[in-house]
């Protein structure tokens, strides 16, 4: 496959390239174009040049093209799934059954939402108010490695639907499906320059993109540290930002809950080898049922199969990169040194070697310790107990993050009461990861800035205008 940049409707090479390795076995998958300031400037120029015509394109035509891109994704689902599994180590069965269908749905949803976008005019002392959503311009989208294509298209689809042109900077640890998407957009008939892909290391190509004066929107999903760099780069131009950042989400289990359901939801937090920003990694369990819950949890977690993610029977694959693997192990080692005890896992999977880290559960961590407050982004959960509802809420809100929370209870009244007090952008009650693109998505505190989804996406990717008209003389 071609892994040069995609700029202005054509492949653009770079003098330098970087190796992309598979986390499954360390093999070299591709030598990818390594962009920098020149490629960033070229891509923004192409996007800016294509913007006037794309902004004037009718809603119906934009929607038609987004549906054509979705058709292309569906035709190549198996290829996209295998490429992404090989590139980032996530489960092939997840890519086939959920992730790639969601990629296609992202385009279809925002195409259809565009056609219904609007609000009724309203009156102010006889004056008519008309709200409209005007395309903003060039949107730079910087996307993560843990769900590369799904999280990229969650941004690309509304940005294109809104009438913006796009420059995508995919993560250097998982760059391949972005190149395939460029081919799909071209086959769908998207005009040259409307969608562009610049590959490369974030430190080299990121600042020239996010600091470019012609960029009108920046959307980023990733770490808090990188978000601060992007915000500083965007500040001189006052470029609006949407930031979906890390999490340290709680899963609260009350004594009146279905403990089998609670254990199932807790084990689900190992999905994608724990590399999920929304994961409820802090298990907070009422004291009276903690032993019963733990027994059920360990029975389920111990049965998880870890191995090659291309095997459809595998439950946990590898970590994405040696650097991430080392970071995870460092968190666990420091936690154990500070008094935490692993009751499950606790280190690398010696039988598999490579980047495979055992699903881990730690107990006995000290309140306020690093393992309870900082994002690990790996298959590492902690278990703490609480005495009552008041303590449960205080523990849940005891980090600087606020992306999501999961609550398990048999009481609707408690669910309403506790949900209202949790600091989180999304609260799941007796379920996990039920996502509807009509709903707002984002985080509180260090977990992000802004909301996307449904109208919220168009509010961000557009310049929302109100036109007020005096009564016309008859």
């Amino acid at each position: 496959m071609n892994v040069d940049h995609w700029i202005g409707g054509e492949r653009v090479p770079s003098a330098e390239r970087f190796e992309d390795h598979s986390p499954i076995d360390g093999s070299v998958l591709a030598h990818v174009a390594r962009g920098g300031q020149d490629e960033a400037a070229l891509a923004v120029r192409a996007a800016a040049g294509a913007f006037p015509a794309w902004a004037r394109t009718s809603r119906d035509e934009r929607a038609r093209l987004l549906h054509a891109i979705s058709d292309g994704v569906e035709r190549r689902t198996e290829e996209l799934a295998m490429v992404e599994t090989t590139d980032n180590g996530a489960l092939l069965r997840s890519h086939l059954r959920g992730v790639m269908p969601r990629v296609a749905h992202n385009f279809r949803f925002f195409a259809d939402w565009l056609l219904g976008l609007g609000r009724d005019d309203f009156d102010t002392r006889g004056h008519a108010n008309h709200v409209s959503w005007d395309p903003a311009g060039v949107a730079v989208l910087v996307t993560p490695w843990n769900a590369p294509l799904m999280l990229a298209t969650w941004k690309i689809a509304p940005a294109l639907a809104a009438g913006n042109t796009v420059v995508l900077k995919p993560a250097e640890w998982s760059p391949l499906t972005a190149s395939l998407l460029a081919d799909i957009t071209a086959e769908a008939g998207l005009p040259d320059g409307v969608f562009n892909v610049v590959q490369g290391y974030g430190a080299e190509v990121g600042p020239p993109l996010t600091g470019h004066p012609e960029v009108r929107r920046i959307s980023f999903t990733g770490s808090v540290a990188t978000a601060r760099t992007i915000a500083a780069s965007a500040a001189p131009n006052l470029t609006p930002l949407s930031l979906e950042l890390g999490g340290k989400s709680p899963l609260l289990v009350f004594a009146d809950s279905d403990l089998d359901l609670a254990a199932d939801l807790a084990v689900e937090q190992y999905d994608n080898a724990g590399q999920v920003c929304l994961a409820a990694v802090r298990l907070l369990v009422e004291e009276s049922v903690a032993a019963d819950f733990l027994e059920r949890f360990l029975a389920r977690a111990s049965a998880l199969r870890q191995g090659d993610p291309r095997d459809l029977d595998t439950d946990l694959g590898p970590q994405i990169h040696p650097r991430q693997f080392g970071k995870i192990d460092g968190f666990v080692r420091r936690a154990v040194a500070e008094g935490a005890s692993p009751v499950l896992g606790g280190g690398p999977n010696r039988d598999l070697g490579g980047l495979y880290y055992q699903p881990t559960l730690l107990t006995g961590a000290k309140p306020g310790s690093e393992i309870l407050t900082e994002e690990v982004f790996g298959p590492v959960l902690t278990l703490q107990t609480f005495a009552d509802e008041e303590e449960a809420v205080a523990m849940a809100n005891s980090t600087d993050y606020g992306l999501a929370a999961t609550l398990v209870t048999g009481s609707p009244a408690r669910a309403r009461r506790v949900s209202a007090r949790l600091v989180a952008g999304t609260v799941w009650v007796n379920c996990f990861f039920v996502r509807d693109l009509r709903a707002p998505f984002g985080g509180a505190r260090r977990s992000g800035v802004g909301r996307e989804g449904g109208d919220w996406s168009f509010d961000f990717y557009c310049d929302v205008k109100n036109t007020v008209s005096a009564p016309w003389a008859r």
Side-chain angles (χ1 to χ4, degrees), residues 24-362:
I24 299 172
D25 55 14
S27 60
V28 177
L29 300 176
H31 292 85
V32 185
R34 182 174 169 178
Q37 185 168 344
D38 291 345
E39 291 84 355
L42 184 65
V44 173
R45 190 180 314 126
F51 172 69
W54 181 244
R56 291 193 302 269
T57 301
S58 70
R59 287 187 177 190
D60 286 343
E61 177 63 6
R62 276 185 254 152
R64 185 191 71 79
L65 287 166
L66 291 182
H67 277 290
I69 294 170
S70 182
D71 292 341
V73 170
E74 290 177 344
R75 285 193 297 269
R76 299 175 72 168
T77 289
E78 291 188 3
E79 177 190 8
L80 289 165
M82 182 57 77
V83 168
E84 192 147 294
T85 290
T86 307
D87 198 19
N88 88 327
L91 300 183
L92 178 60
R93 76 174 187 220
S94 296
H95 281 133
L96 289 170
R97 298 172 188 174
V99 175
M100 294 309 161
R102 170 62 183 274
V103 169
H105 177 63
N106 284 344
F107 285 105
R108 294 204 193 282
F109 172 87
F110 284 106
D112 293 340
W113 197 268
L114 168 66
L115 297 179
L117 183 67
R119 295 191 177 97
D120 293 337
D121 291 355
F122 55 94
D123 181 83
T124 304
R125 299 188 301 279
H127 295 66
N129 292 261
H130 175 74
V131 178
S132 59
W133 286 260
D134 294 348
V138 178
V140 165
L141 312 178
V142 184
T143 54
W145 46 259
N146 59 320
L149 197 56
M150 183 176 72
L151 293 178
T153 56
W154 153 251
K155 302 175 187 295
I156 295 165
L160 293 179
N164 295 336
T165 52
V166 166
V167 179
L168 173 67
K169 163 56 181 79
E172 56 264 34
W173 288 355
S174 55
L176 299 186
T177 48
S179 280
L180 290 176
L181 181 62
D183 294 336
I184 291 170
T185 63
E187 292 163 5
L190 199 68
D192 294 348
V194 172
F195 177 65
N196 306 273
V197 179
V198 179
Q199 303 279 13
Y201 293 123
E204 296 175 353
V205 74
L209 285 173
T210 57
H212 199 291
E214 291 189 70
V215 170
R216 295 293 177 259
R217 294 292 187 275
I218 299 168
S219 181
F220 168 71
T221 297
S223 72
V224 173
T226 302
R228 290 189 176 114
T229 300
I230 290 173
S233 180
N237 301 312
L238 296 178
T239 309
L241 298 167
S242 177
L243 305 173
E244 193 267 282
L245 310 179
K248 195 68 177 177
S249 301
L251 191 159
L252 294 84
V253 179
F254 287 91
D256 61 2
S257 68
D258 178 339
L259 291 184
D260 285 322
L261 171 64
D264 287 339
L265 292 175
V267 172
E268 194 176 341
Q269 309 311 311
Y270 290 127
D271 182 48
N272 201 20
Q275 298 169 143
V276 178
C277 58
L278 293 163
V281 296
R282 294 184 294 131
L283 310 182
L284 310 179
V285 185
E286 194 162 353
E287 290 171 354
S288 61
V289 296
D292 193 357
F293 168 83
L294 181 59
E295 181 181 358
R296 296 170 195 239
F297 172 86
L298 291 175
R300 289 161 170 79
S302 298
L304 293 173
R305 291 187 54 179
Q306 188 166 29
D308 191 322
R310 295 168 295 193
D311 182 340
L312 297 183
D313 291 326
T314 296
D315 298 309
L316 262 84
Q319 309 311 133
I320 179 73
H321 190 275
R323 193 185 310 161
Q324 183 66 17
F325 183 89
K327 175 186 171 186
I328 294 165
D329 195 43
F331 270 110
V332 173
R333 288 176 179 272
R334 290 190 297 274
V336 171
E338 293 174 1
S341 300
V343 294
L344 177 73
N349 189 321
R350 302 299 181 189
D351 294 333
L352 295 174
L355 299 180
Y356 293 87
Y357 203 89
Q358 296 179 90
T360 295
L361 177 66
L362 300 174

Side-chain angles (χ1 to χ4, degrees), residues 14-18 32-35:
S14 285
E16 295 186 69
R17 309 187 82 83
F18 66 93
V32 185
R34 182 174 169 178

